[in-house]
Amino acid sequence: MRFIFVIFVLLLASCSSKKFKDVSYLSDSNSEMANSPKMNVFVPRNSKAEQGPVLIFVHGGNWNSGRKGTYDLLGRNFAKKGVVTIIPDYILSPNADYDGMTQQIAAVIQWAKDSVSKYNGNPNEIFITGHSAGGQLGALAVMNPKYGIDASSIAGIIFNDAAGLDMKRYLMENPPTVVDNYLITWTKNPDNWQQASPIYFINKDTPPFLIYIGDKTYASIKKGNSNFISALHPFQSNVTPIHLNKKHVPMVTQYFWPWSNRFAEVIEFMNTNK
């Protein structure tokens, strides 16, 4: 019976959205290589005449795992509600470090600015969200100016149990080793750790934030988000995190079910920050 119910949910989401699979987002000659990362783009099947808001979802996986295809239901469920949703793959550690990954996410954002109107998305209403490691990568691509994205041009950032918000502090306390490829991901250089940390790039141009934290998540994520919010408050005093009685993984799998309250909350945030 549960299997039949899941199939019903899948069919319901598919009927109300359209998936464009393996769209290239890199502009250089490597974009046509077989192993070049691609993205899936989900659009409402019955698009309105006006362009809809755009959500870029960056998956997590400790910077060394994860794939875009896992999150099709998330993409379809947002598209069902009128949000053009982009879910990219990116090259993972040990084949890329945090800087290379962030460059790829910045390329996705730039692609959205240049091309999402072809999918009836509004390039002036681009929102970034990410779970776990994806929260760090998405925020860093917007907030660190070295990646070339004008932070003031991004309508908002949504953290979903985001990790890695202050890698400098974390790695000073827990020096990187070969475990989980952290030496490759972060290097041994504390200057790189700071460059990798969104918390050090908060300023008056930082986009509005919506922040979710799981009450049963990892202690490092709770601490990182608390410190980030404290640093954010001088610029966005009204940001209050939404705490949910969930562990780390269920914080993202809840989006696989179309009746989750998160959709209404996120869309309200989008409407407020157009």
Side-chain angles (χ1 to χ4, degrees):
M1 181 64 69
R2 180 176 176 82
F3 174 76
I4 294 174
F5 179 71
V6 170
I7 293 297
F8 172 77
V9 171
L10 287 168
L11 289 174
L12 182 65
S14 298
C15 290
S16 54
S17 63
K18 184 175 182 180
K19 174 183 176 182
F20 294 87
K21 186 178 180 181
D22 292 335
V23 178
S24 295
Y25 63 82
L26 296 178
S27 59
D28 58 24
S29 58
N30 292 330
S31 65
E32 298 305 320
M33 294 173 57
N35 63 347
S36 174
K38 304 290 195 301
M39 60 189 176
N40 294 332
V41 181
F42 300 86
V43 302
R45 189 168 290 277
N46 297 316
S47 295
K48 299 178 181 178
E50 72 236 24
Q51 295 176 330
V54 179
L55 183 66
I56 299 173
F57 171 79
V58 186
H59 72 73
N62 206 25
W63 298 275
N64 67 355
S65 66
R67 53 184 289 274
K68 67 183 187 301
T70 302
Y71 303 94
D72 277 9
L73 277 175
L74 181 152
R76 289 193 180 279
N77 285 333
F78 270 111
K80 177 184 176 182
K81 298 179 185 302
V83 180
V84 176
T85 307
I86 298 169
I87 304 181
D89 271 332
Y90 51 94
I91 298 174
L92 302 165
S93 184
N95 297 311
D97 62 10
Y98 84 87
D99 185 54
M101 297 179 212
T102 311
Q103 289 180 36
Q104 293 168 65
I105 301 307
V108 174
I109 297 170
Q110 190 59 54
W111 178 93
K113 288 173 170 287
D114 296 338
S115 302
V116 78
S117 58
K118 299 175 184 176
Y119 298 82
N120 211 32
N122 189 336
N124 297 315
E125 294 182 22
I126 296 175
F127 295 81
I128 315 298
T129 188
H131 173 251
S132 195
Q136 180 265 340
L137 293 171
L140 191 67
V142 173
M143 296 172 67
N144 187 333
K146 73 173 286 186
Y147 296 106
I149 301 298
D150 178 4
S152 64
S153 71
I154 300 302
I157 298 175
I158 304 156
F159 280 163
N160 182 358
D161 227 34
L165 303 181
D166 188 350
M167 288 309 299
K168 181 180 181 182
R169 175 176 292 191
Y170 179 82
L171 293 173
M172 291 293 287
E173 298 172 356
N174 305 274
T177 68
V178 296
V179 176
D180 292 325
N181 306 120
Y182 268 27
L183 270 176
I184 293 175
T185 304
W186 307 111
T187 79
K188 295 180 179 180
N189 187 344
D191 290 339
N192 289 338
W193 305 345
Q194 180 162 332
Q195 285 292 308
S197 304
I199 195 171
Y200 297 107
F201 299 97
I202 297 172
N203 57 39
K204 63 181 178 59
D205 295 322
T206 298
F209 268 90
L210 174 63
I211 298 176
Y212 292 100
I213 305 170
D215 286 337
K216 299 178 182 178
T217 192
Y218 303 110
S220 61
I221 289 180
K222 291 181 181 179
K223 182 176 180 181
N225 276 269
S226 177
N227 291 344
F228 187 91
I229 292 166
S230 294
L232 182 64
H233 271 168
F235 303 94
Q236 299 182 31
S237 60
N238 62 333
V239 173
T240 301
I242 297 176
H243 288 269
L244 301 172
N245 186 33
K246 293 181 181 295
K247 294 183 178 179
H248 185 57
V249 172
M251 287 293 289
V252 68
T253 56
Q254 63 183 318
Y255 289 90
F256 295 176
W257 311 108
W259 48 80
S260 169
N261 291 334
R262 305 294 81 76
F263 295 107
E265 293 164 354
V266 170
I267 290 171
E268 180 181 0
F269 175 74
M270 290 178 164
N271 290 335
T272 301
N273 294 285
K274 287 183 176 180

